[in-house]
Amino acid sequence: RTIGDRIGEAKASGNLGNTLKILGQFDEAVVCCQRHLDISREQGDKVGEARALYNIGNVYHAKGKHLSWNTAQDPGYLPQEVKDTLQKASEYYERNLSLVKELGDRAAQGRAYGNLGNTQYLLGNFSEAIAFHKERLAIAKEFGDKAAERRAYSNLGNAHIFLGRFDISADYYKKTLQLSRQLKDQAVEAQACYSLGNTCTLLRDYEKAIEYHLRHLVIAQELGDR
């Protein structure tokens, strides 16, 4: 501010916003991220504007998740305050998405689609969540980003469960399992086995369910995860 560096002030405000978000001070975080947005617009800095929109979406997303932990409800059955907060997150992600499309930034589009999928899932809009996660999956494959691809499969599996499409969920979870082994991520492998065990139970394939749950148990013991 002293040297009149507006872009520098915008970036610093954005960094403050992200830090306050991590500290759980969501309302203060929004104020800082909004300043980042306002200055970026004033300076005609489209990249900064896109980043600020994404960050504000993140703050509302984190606040929504934080509020929903206290209610322990299934997706879609949320108190109004939580719904409103997640709806705001979704709106900012949408605005970010249209701007990064304009800028031709595919990686940023992938992040926006993933977060839109997650907010719509929490809001109980499972079909919309699936559409967004499929877009996320396509971009992850485009970039050869195996970790993002793995997350997309897992999210697609979760959303299909709520639509009662257990066989489709099982296919997505199997892909999640395959990728977690490729990535040598045992915690995620255990999680995938757990999801597959539950899905096989819903499909009444009890033998398979036992197999997956035993694998989950073995990994949990290996990791010393009580």
Side-chain angles (χ1 to χ4, degrees):
R1 279 182 181 158
T2 310
I3 60 171
D5 176 0
R6 294 293 278 166
I7 299 278
E9 185 184 340
K11 282 182 184 165
S13 298
N15 289 336
L16 265 172
N18 291 339
T19 310
L20 288 162
K21 176 196 80 183
I22 294 163
L23 291 169
Q25 296 173 29
F26 303 115
D27 298 338
E28 294 93 323
V30 169
V31 173
C32 292
C33 291
Q34 186 65 47
R35 192 182 306 130
H36 183 194
L37 180 62
D38 294 341
I39 299 172
S40 299
R41 281 188 176 147
E42 165 208 302
Q43 298 292 313
D45 174 6
K46 291 277 190 194
V47 174
E49 184 181 341
R51 203 160 287 157
L53 288 167
Y54 181 78
N55 288 343
I56 298 174
N58 273 175
V59 175
Y60 282 119
H61 195 170
K63 184 182 180 179
K65 281 200 287 193
H66 177 77
L67 290 170
S68 68
W69 287 334
N70 307 328
T71 62
Q73 295 278 7
D74 270 342
Y77 297 93
L78 298 167
Q80 197 55 46
E81 185 192 1
V82 182
K83 274 189 185 167
D84 293 344
T85 306
L86 291 168
Q87 200 52 58
K88 271 185 189 162
S90 202
E91 283 160 21
Y92 278 101
Y93 287 141
E94 289 272 16
R95 284 159 67 185
N96 164 264
L97 180 62
S98 68
L99 192 48
V100 293
K101 276 183 176 170
E102 203 183 296
L103 294 166
D105 185 342
R106 288 293 280 166
Q109 286 169 45
R111 288 191 291 275
Y113 280 126
N115 280 315
L116 277 163
N118 291 335
T119 48
Q120 290 305 311
Y121 172 81
L122 290 171
L123 286 163
N125 303 329
F126 303 114
S127 299
E128 289 89 331
I130 287 165
F132 286 129
H133 284 309
K134 280 184 173 168
E135 293 283 0
R136 176 66 191 113
L137 179 63
I139 295 174
K141 284 180 171 173
E142 216 175 281
F143 279 89
D145 183 343
K146 293 287 180 194
E149 191 182 332
R150 199 271 310 149
R151 286 195 301 274
Y153 285 135
S154 182
N155 289 327
L156 283 162
N158 294 342
H160 279 287
I161 287 279
F162 281 96
L163 293 175
R165 299 176 188 150
F166 306 134
D167 46 346
I168 299 175
S169 285
D171 289 340
Y172 280 125
Y173 289 141
K174 280 173 192 163
K175 286 177 171 159
T176 307
L177 181 60
Q178 216 177 331
L179 274 175
S180 64
R181 285 177 178 159
Q182 264 183 46
L183 294 162
K184 296 187 170 45
D185 186 334
Q186 277 202 298
V188 172
E189 186 184 338
Q191 211 179 351
C193 289
Y194 175 78
S195 297
L196 274 163
N198 288 339
T199 310
C200 289
T201 302
L202 292 167
L203 288 165
R204 299 202 165 96
D205 185 349
Y206 302 116
E207 291 301 320
K208 266 277 175 236
I210 289 167
E211 245 175 75
Y212 284 121
H213 284 309
L214 280 171
R215 178 74 194 130
H216 175 218
L217 178 62
V218 169
I219 299 173
Q221 285 169 342
E222 275 174 24
L223 295 173
D225 183 341
R226 303 284 291 174

